[in-house]
């Protein structure tokens, strides 16, 4: 038997093949295009996304591993969360998808924060609303494009659009539905949240919630698109954040999970709901009634590093060299890594948050700037984990972990070991695990977990660097507090 996991990311779409022992044996990837038709608007074409899914699955099927393994037993989907993907009854777009990165609804999000709507919703669901969250985006569309909403049948999430086109199934899972309309206890839509957001009259746009997750089989259209047999089992969900946590084996209360990708996602497993504290982040169901993820997905992770590398004319292949050419503390250069035009959503909500580089002189080198940005992102991760209640070790994944120096830097800043999974595509793997559970397929996933745990790499913190970074982190937090006051004053 073999299993295909597809991760429909924002900038890259990937398909991974796993054998009957749960080992990743092949991988295909294709770029995904994000367009910006207006300043701070970010959209995607659903047909382009589906075409990229077809490219990676068909490419995977041509691999030697797939030829040996035979037809896959399961196609499991995960992908980016948030945003709004408006489709008709056949799952076809009625307008381009609004990405989670989009900031057109910033004014609505700010108004809701000022008048208490955001806090009301957070105390109810454990989810903080930011500009690219479905609620403010839907409210913006309701105000500016009501006829488009009238034509739509579903305000869907990315993976659910792919699922509907491949199988005809219109549904979502509890992780995507949690953003932000789901009651985390009953796992049903909270009508009072829809009322608070002024969206009760659009409730019919929300797809049915299915636990443990939507399942179906490939229809004629899906089979023709992917080159798989009609009737192949398909599952959808969870979306990429909880899928990566599941794929990394993070399930005990207090354990942490860090995704160093386009989003810097910091997550902690909790066994009890706590809606107190400053509204920020998400509370996501984690596959059983007494487990949730307290998720703090900061807006910018590797995207900040991409920006500075482009600025100095370097690529990711040179990151380790650049980090080694500077020193911990980056010769006094410091960074607040809030590069998203939509501001920040974790561990605080500030649509006006902006990045800063301080301490520059004519003697500052490109290596110092790169190290300062990498350190700033690591400090942001520690800030998020403190807000989420981290008490255990951290599993880490994502494109950023390809840099061994940055991986060590995260361990030093967090002051605790970080565990690196043996295969890179933990999101696709987590989707496969969830799909096996949802479809009832016979697979010894417990044995898979034991094998993967034995192959996990553990990187521990260094004592001297940890002490230095503890002091630098205190300085970072004080700078963030001052900056938040400045951001608020600029918005008045």
């Amino acid at each position: 038997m073999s299993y295909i996991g597809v991760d429909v990311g924002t900038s890259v779409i990937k398909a991974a093949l796993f054998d009957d022992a749960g080992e990743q044996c092949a991988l295909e990837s294709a770029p995904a295009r994000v367009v910006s038709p207006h300043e701070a608007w970010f959209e995607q074409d659903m047909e382009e996304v589906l075409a990229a899914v077809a490219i990676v699955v068909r490419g995977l099927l041509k691999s030697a591993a797939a030829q040996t393994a035979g037809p896959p037993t399961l196609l499991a989907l995960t992908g980016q969360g948030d945003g709004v993907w408006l489709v008709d009854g056949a799952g076809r777009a009625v307008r381009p998808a609004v990405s989670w990165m989009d900031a057109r609804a910033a004014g609505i999000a700010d108004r809701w924060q000022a008048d208490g709507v955001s806090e009301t919703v957070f105390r109810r669901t454990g989810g903080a609303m930011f500009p690219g969250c479905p609620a403010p985006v839907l409210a913006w569309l309701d105000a500016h494009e009501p006829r488009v909403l009238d034509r739509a049948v579903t305000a869907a999430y990315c993976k659910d659009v792919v699922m509907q086109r491949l199988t005809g199934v219109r549904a979502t899972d509890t992780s995507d539905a949690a953003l932000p309309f789901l009651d985390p206890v009953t796992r049903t839509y909270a009508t009072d949240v829809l009322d608070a957001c002024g969206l009760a009259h659009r409730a019919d746009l929300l797809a049915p919630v299915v636990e443990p997750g939507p399942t179906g089989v490939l229809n004629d259209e899906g089979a023709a698109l992917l080159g798989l047999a009609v009737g192949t089992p398909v599952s959808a969900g969870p979306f990429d954040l909880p899928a990566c946590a599941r794929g990394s084996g993070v399930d005990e209360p207090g354990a942490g999970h860090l995704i160093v990708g386009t989003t810097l996602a910091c997550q902690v497993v909790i066994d009890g709901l706590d809606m107190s504290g400053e509204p920020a982040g998400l509370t996501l169901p984690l596959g059983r009634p007494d487990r949730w993820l307290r998720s703090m997905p900061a807006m910018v992770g590797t995207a900040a590093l991409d920006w500075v590398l482009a600025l100095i004319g370097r690529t990711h292949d040179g990151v380790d060299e650049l980090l080694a050419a500077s020193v911990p503390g980056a010769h006094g250069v410091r960074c607040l890594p809030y590069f998203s035009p939509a501001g920040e959503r974790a561990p605080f909500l500030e649509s006006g948050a902006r990045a800063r580089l301080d301490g520059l002189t004519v003697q500052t080198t490109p290596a110092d700037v790169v190290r300062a940005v990498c350190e700033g992102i690591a400090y942001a991760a520690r800030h998020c984990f403190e807000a989420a209640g981290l008490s255990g070790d951290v599993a880490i994944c994502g494109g950023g972990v390809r840099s061994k120096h940055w991986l060590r830097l995260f361990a030093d800043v967090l002051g605790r070991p970080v565990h690196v999974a043996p295969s890179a595509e933990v999101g696709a793997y987590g989707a496969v695990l969830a799909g096996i559970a949802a479809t009832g397929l016979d697979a010894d996933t417990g044995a898979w977990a034991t094998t993967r745990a034995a192959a996990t790499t553990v990187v521990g913190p260094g004592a001297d660097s940890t002490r230095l970074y503890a002091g630098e982190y205190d300085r970072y937090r004080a700078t963030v507090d001052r900056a938040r006051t400045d951001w608020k004053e600029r918005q008045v």
Side-chain angles (χ1 to χ4, degrees):
M1 292 191 295
S2 64
Y3 312 86
I4 293 178
V6 177
D7 188 347
V8 189
T10 306
S11 56
V12 180
I13 295 172
K14 294 172 284 190
L17 181 71
F18 300 91
D19 63 20
D20 59 2
E23 296 289 332
Q24 182 179 318
C25 49
L27 175 68
E28 292 287 332
S29 65
R33 192 169 65 107
V34 180
V35 299
S36 182
H38 302 285
E39 183 179 358
W41 288 30
F42 296 97
E43 299 181 343
Q44 291 192 274
D45 185 300
M46 298 181 201
E47 297 304 318
E48 288 184 4
V49 169
L50 280 163
V53 170
I55 288 170
V56 296
V57 172
R58 284 181 172 274
L60 202 65
L61 295 175
K62 293 179 181 178
S63 69
Q67 296 295 316
T68 301
T73 309
L74 172 70
L75 177 71
L77 305 173
T78 184
Q80 58 183 291
D82 288 303
V84 173
W85 298 62
L86 289 175
V87 296
D88 61 19
R92 285 178 166 74
V94 299
R95 74 169 325 280
V98 179
S99 167
W100 61 270
M101 299 186 297
D102 196 275
R104 75 189 68 189
I108 292 173
D110 288 343
R111 186 174 72 248
W112 286 354
Q113 192 171 2
D115 64 18
V117 171
S118 291
E119 182 163 357
T120 296
V121 172
F122 179 81
R123 303 299 174 211
R124 180 74 170 83
T125 69
M129 295 186 293
F130 64 100
C133 176
V137 173
L138 280 172
W140 188 94
L141 291 168
D142 195 45
H144 297 275
E145 300 180 11
R147 292 183 180 179
V148 173
L149 288 185
D150 291 342
R151 294 201 308 271
V153 171
T154 309
Y157 300 90
C158 176
K159 65 171 176 50
D160 299 328
V161 173
V162 178
M163 178 71 173
Q164 185 170 0
R165 291 290 292 275
L166 297 180
T167 67
V169 173
R170 176 186 181 261
T172 192
D173 77 302
T174 55
S175 68
D176 258 333
L179 313 175
F181 301 117
L182 195 76
D183 183 312
V185 177
T186 66
R187 315 292 175 97
T188 58
Y189 290 121
T191 56
D192 54 329
V193 172
L194 285 162
D195 286 337
C197 297
L199 291 168
H201 63 296
R202 297 294 186 181
D204 61 327
L205 291 174
L206 303 181
V209 181
V210 176
E211 264 194 304
T215 60
V217 296
L218 274 184
N219 57 22
D220 291 340
E221 179 187 0
L225 183 70
L226 303 184
L228 289 168
V230 172
T232 300
V234 185
S235 65
F239 81 96
D240 56 4
L241 301 190
C244 284
R246 188 162 186 167
S248 296
V250 176
D251 57 9
E252 290 301 315
H257 184 256
L258 172 61
I259 306 172
V260 190
T262 304
T263 298
L264 182 75
C266 306
Q267 310 182 97
V268 176
V269 180
I270 58 175
D271 57 2
L273 293 171
D274 182 2
M275 313 304 193
S276 62
E278 181 176 3
L282 312 167
T283 301
L284 307 173
L286 191 59
R288 49 184 281 190
D290 62 343
R291 289 286 189 277
W292 297 265
L293 275 176
R294 190 72 182 99
S295 181
M296 295 285 173
M299 287 295 289
V300 175
T302 56
L305 183 57
D306 293 341
W307 177 84
V308 75
L309 289 172
L311 196 67
I312 65 174
R314 299 293 294 270
T315 67
H316 280 272
D317 292 338
V319 169
D320 272 341
E321 176 189 349
L322 288 161
L323 288 174
S326 186
V327 297
H331 292 114
V333 181
R334 298 183 176 92
C335 174
L336 295 187
Y338 306 116
F339 286 85
S340 169
E344 190 49 270
R345 60 179 173 177
F348 51 78
L349 278 171
E350 296 286 358
S351 65
R354 293 296 181 264
R356 294 182 182 179
L357 278 168
D358 296 319
L360 300 170
T361 74
V362 294
Q363 293 180 309
T364 298
T365 67
D368 292 332
V369 177
V370 169
R371 177 170 274 277
V373 170
C374 288
E375 289 177 347
I377 293 170
Y379 297 145
R382 179 168 172 175
H383 193 181
C384 287
F385 274 128
E386 288 182 353
L390 177 69
S391 60
D393 289 354
V394 175
I396 188 169
C397 68
V401 305
R402 289 194 297 267
S403 166
K404 294 181 180 178
H405 280 76
W406 203 10
L407 186 62
R408 171 71 67 180
L409 195 158
F410 274 109
D412 290 341
V413 169
L414 295 175
R416 62 187 70 230
V418 295
H419 299 244
V420 186
S423 62
E425 301 311 316
V426 295
Y429 179 68
V432 166
L433 292 178
I436 289 171
T439 57
L441 292 173
D442 185 16
D444 191 356
T445 55
W448 296 5
T450 300
T451 301
R452 288 174 69 86
T456 294
T457 300
V458 181
V459 178
D464 291 342
S465 296
T466 296
R467 281 193 294 271
L468 182 149
Y469 282 131
E472 287 295 309
Y473 175 69
D474 289 341
R475 184 193 297 268
Y476 168 86
R477 286 293 304 273
T479 304
V480 170
D481 290 343
R482 290 193 298 271
R484 290 185 68 181
T485 300
D486 181 48
W487 296 329
K488 284 182 178 7
E489 289 175 350
R490 290 188 179 191
Q491 288 179 292
V492 173

